[in-house]
Amino acid sequence: MPVARKTINRKRKIKKFQYTEEGLRQALLQIQEGHMSVRAASREFGIPKTTLQDHKSGKTPKIPMKTGPQPILTINGEKKLVDWIIGLAKCGFPVKKTDLLQTVETIVKNTEKEKLFKDGKPGQKWYQNFLKRHPVISVREAEGVNKARAVVTEESIRAWFRDLKKYLVDTGNTDILDDPDRMLNGDEAGFSLCPKTGKVLAPRGWKNLYTVKMGNEKDNITVLIVFSASGKICPPLILFPYVRPPKALVDNMPSNWVLGRSESGWMKGDTFFEYIANDFNEWITQNKLKRPVLLLIDGHKSHMTMQLSEFCDQKSIILYALPPNTTHILQPADVSVFKPLKTEWKKTVTKWQTLPQNLNRSVTKINFCQVFKEALDNTDMENHIQNGFRKCGLYPFDPNNVDYTKCIKNFLENQLTASQTEPKELTAFEIECAKKAFKKIEKKLSDRGIDNEVILQELNSLDGPTESRNLVGSIIPMDEIQITPTIIIEVPSTHEEVEEMPDNPDLLIQQNNLPPTYISDRRNRKTRC
């Protein structure tokens, strides 16, 4: 007698989404453009292959990938917050954590949702989840920009490019723009003898976390670096705060490097002149560069002495100043060279201090050049220099390559113009108020011979999609907040379990207490919505 097979009724569990909507969008873009196959994109972005195939074929509709309830402010409400944060950051007014939480507190109070937060205020958990839901926003340190830089405009920068080209045309030196060896930039930067360690790992909740500083954090050495658009570097000038530097310091310097002297340790006019007249001029001759050469520098007073100008005229060195307060936009040294160099400097100092022979030692003025040379050699300077000239529009010479979004005044003016020309979008609350007012006076308008059907059609046309009406600042009724339950379905792992499942999909739905929208596909062993 055949033994009846025992039906195993097991819960089926489906994994939650382990990827972001932005990751899915990038994966589909790579597939559509032919850069990746579905299998390769699945491995690269950590997205199931069947999910990518369904989106590619159009089987899966484009809906927000969200398991569980909507955010308290709704998806579109949070999008308004994200746009607000990004817009202010571009205008030079980055939003702090406290500003964001206070704004959300005001919104939930105006929409009568403060009961959804403890004490009516969003806390740390909401803040962390908000950042996870919107990876386009990150916590960063803001760079300070003074008021003079804030008024720089795209028009003034383009005018500088026109003036430079006109000057080279008038002097018959336009061929410099086509020769990367003859277009140069130079600037100074300070390097700390005891750089900050940055963030470290430590036990959670441990308050007494210290790191031993092997030197004085306030000690900085000024370094002047001049380089060409082709990536060639002139021997750097190391400026020490000595009138008579110690012999040990001189002996530890590379043979072709230049020692500068200054009581304060800062660049002075006579120090810069000596470097250009002796070392830079000799480097041009040794490298057989065609003269004249173009040296772009900022307008610091140490760079603009009469003695220096006369010497450069005699030696065919064209000194041309960058526009005031634009070095963060137009100077390759500031745009892409010094930041990676300083990052490598921190790593090199840390590595140097961990060597057995340097135990309990610190970087000093005596051994600074040795450690700095190692950092300079480990940095891909040629690539960073070439990228800097390209981003600044200097080589290739093209003002269209400049990143004009750094012009804060320009961005503010564009935002103001756009806000004045674009019509204001009505909220759902305002539309509902208009409809109620119309119903009140509908009979009186009809008695006066006014076509009410036209007015009603216009009011109905103001209704957009449901998701576009849930805006920050509008009053959202509580019945419009949809709470989507989390459905947990256990997927069978073996073929035998699939055979023991009922053939009738409706019976499967009843056994697992699923809504009718979830249908199991036995052959593919997956669940679709």
Side-chain angles (χ1 to χ4, degrees):
M1 179 180 294
V3 180
R5 298 183 63 185
K6 189 176 181 180
T7 303
I8 302 176
N9 187 12
R10 296 184 178 180
K11 292 182 179 180
R12 299 184 302 119
K13 187 176 181 180
I14 189 169
K15 291 183 179 181
K16 293 184 179 181
F17 294 110
Q18 301 295 326
Y19 53 90
T20 62
E21 186 175 358
E22 178 64 21
L24 176 62
R25 188 184 69 81
Q26 291 293 338
L28 293 175
L29 182 63
Q30 294 294 326
I31 295 173
Q32 292 170 0
E33 294 181 352
H35 300 312
M36 286 186 179
S37 64
V38 174
R39 187 183 298 274
S42 176
R43 290 195 302 266
E44 178 70 21
F45 294 93
I47 303 174
K49 187 173 66 173
T50 53
T51 301
L52 295 175
Q53 290 173 340
D54 291 346
H55 278 275
K56 180 183 177 183
S57 62
K59 290 182 180 180
T60 301
K62 295 181 178 179
I63 57 176
M65 296 189 306
K66 181 73 175 66
T67 58
Q70 282 196 5
I72 293 176
L73 296 180
T74 73
I75 294 176
N76 285 278
E78 287 199 351
K79 184 179 183 301
K80 288 287 184 180
L81 274 180
V82 172
D83 294 340
W84 170 67
I85 293 172
I86 295 175
L88 285 186
K90 290 181 178 179
C91 293
F93 305 100
V95 177
K96 296 182 180 179
K97 175 184 175 181
T98 53
D99 299 333
L100 173 62
L101 297 182
Q102 289 175 1
T103 301
V104 174
E105 180 183 355
T106 303
I107 292 173
V108 296
K109 187 177 295 184
N110 292 338
T111 56
E112 300 178 354
K113 292 186 186 180
E114 62 267 25
K115 294 181 180 179
L116 299 179
F117 287 121
K118 184 178 179 180
D119 300 327
K121 301 177 182 179
Q124 179 68 17
K125 184 177 180 180
W126 179 90
Y127 175 74
Q128 294 294 342
N129 291 335
F130 176 82
L131 294 180
K132 290 180 181 178
R133 289 193 294 269
H134 305 284
V136 68
I137 298 176
S138 62
V139 180
R140 300 173 56 186
E141 290 288 340
E143 178 185 359
V145 179
N146 57 31
K147 293 182 179 179
R149 286 190 173 188
V151 298
V152 173
T153 63
E154 178 180 348
E155 291 74 12
S156 63
I157 293 176
R158 290 186 179 275
W160 179 85
F161 273 93
R162 290 193 298 268
D163 293 342
L164 173 59
K165 189 169 185 179
K166 183 178 183 301
Y167 173 81
L168 295 177
V169 170
D170 294 342
T171 57
N173 296 313
T174 54
D175 56 329
I176 294 178
L177 300 178
D178 301 321
D179 190 349
D181 287 336
R182 299 167 62 194
M183 183 174 290
L184 304 109
N185 174 234
D187 195 21
E188 306 93 10
F191 292 85
S192 174
L193 295 180
C194 186
K196 295 182 179 180
T197 56
K199 295 182 179 179
V200 296
L201 299 177
R204 185 180 298 276
W206 188 264
K207 297 182 180 179
N208 302 320
L209 184 64
Y210 305 103
T211 180
V212 178
K213 295 293 185 181
M214 303 303 297
N216 189 349
E217 291 182 283
K218 297 182 179 180
D219 283 345
N220 283 272
I221 302 299
T222 301
V223 179
L224 169 65
I225 303 180
V226 178
F227 42 79
S228 66
S230 60
K232 295 179 180 178
I233 304 177
C234 181
L237 168 68
I238 314 297
L239 195 60
F240 291 103
Y242 291 119
V243 177
R244 295 180 180 178
K247 183 178 184 299
L249 186 150
V250 179
D251 294 339
N252 281 316
M253 289 189 65
S255 58
N256 62 334
W257 285 23
V258 184
L259 172 64
R261 294 173 295 177
S262 170
E263 293 181 0
S264 62
W266 298 98
M267 182 62 70
K268 297 172 61 177
D270 54 351
T271 307
F272 186 73
F273 169 75
E274 290 177 3
Y275 175 76
I276 296 296
N278 299 323
D279 306 284
F280 177 69
N281 183 57
E282 183 181 354
W283 180 78
I284 294 175
T285 304
Q286 291 176 351
N287 286 269
K288 299 180 180 179
L289 300 184
K290 181 182 177 182
R291 297 177 188 258
V293 298
L294 176 64
L295 177 58
L296 299 171
I297 53 177
D298 60 43
H300 192 268
K301 60 181 181 180
S302 63
H303 301 158
M304 296 297 174
T305 62
M306 182 177 296
Q307 185 183 19
L308 177 63
S309 299
E310 292 176 351
F311 174 83
C312 290
D313 288 340
Q314 296 172 4
K315 300 298 181 180
S316 298
I317 300 174
I318 301 175
L319 281 180
Y320 204 91
L322 295 166
N325 307 301
T326 61
T327 54
H328 64 300
I329 302 175
L330 293 180
Q331 179 147 263
D334 288 347
V335 171
S336 70
V337 177
F338 282 146
K339 183 176 180 179
L341 180 57
K342 289 189 175 184
T343 301
E344 185 61 37
W345 166 249
K346 293 180 181 180
K347 295 179 182 178
T348 305
V349 171
T350 303
K351 180 181 177 182
W352 183 87
Q353 290 176 339
T354 57
L355 296 176
Q357 62 269 27
N358 297 325
L359 187 64
N360 295 327
R361 293 181 60 193
S362 62
V363 178
T364 63
K365 300 179 181 68
I366 303 298
N367 55 26
F368 171 82
C369 291
Q370 292 180 345
V371 183
F372 185 74
K373 185 179 186 304
E374 184 178 348
L376 194 62
D377 293 340
N378 292 336
T379 307
D380 188 6
M381 291 293 289
E382 181 176 352
N383 184 45
H384 292 312
I385 291 170
Q386 292 174 354
N387 287 339
F389 274 88
R390 185 180 67 255
K391 290 179 180 179
C392 295
L394 298 173
Y395 186 84
F397 191 80
D398 185 1
N400 294 321
N401 290 338
V402 178
D403 184 5
Y404 293 109
T405 60
K406 294 181 180 180
C407 301
I408 297 177
K409 181 181 178 181
N410 232 112
F411 185 83
L412 288 171
E413 290 176 349
N414 292 338
Q415 292 293 97
L416 181 61
T417 303
S419 64
Q420 292 175 346
T421 56
E422 292 180 0
K424 181 180 178 182
E425 185 177 342
L426 294 176
T427 65
F429 178 70
E430 292 171 337
I431 295 173
E432 290 299 324
C433 290
K435 287 183 178 181
K436 290 181 180 179
F438 171 73
K439 289 181 180 179
K440 283 283 186 181
I441 61 174
E442 183 177 6
K443 188 176 183 303
K444 294 182 179 180
L445 294 176
S446 180
D447 293 342
R448 295 186 180 184
I450 297 176
D451 190 356
N452 292 334
E453 289 297 326
V454 176
I455 300 176
L456 186 60
Q457 289 177 3
E458 291 297 326
L459 288 174
N460 291 332
S461 67
L462 295 176
D463 283 332
T466 304
E467 59 269 15
S468 67
R469 291 188 279 116
N470 295 338
L471 305 177
V472 174
S474 63
I475 298 179
I476 307 173
M478 292 301 294
D479 56 355
E480 289 193 20
I481 302 178
Q482 299 179 359
I483 308 298
T484 306
T486 302
I487 306 299
I488 299 178
I489 311 171
E490 194 172 88
V491 178
S493 58
T494 64
H495 181 70
E496 287 75 17
E497 293 178 9
V498 177
E499 293 299 329
E500 293 165 3
M501 293 167 57
D503 294 330
N504 187 354
D506 295 332
L507 181 58
L508 174 64
I509 293 173
Q510 294 174 6
Q511 290 178 351
N512 292 275
N513 297 322
L514 299 177
T517 52
Y518 285 80
I519 303 176
S520 175
D521 186 342
R522 292 174 50 201
R523 290 173 298 177
N524 296 328
R525 292 191 298 174
K526 59 188 176 182
T527 303
R528 304 183 186 277
C529 178

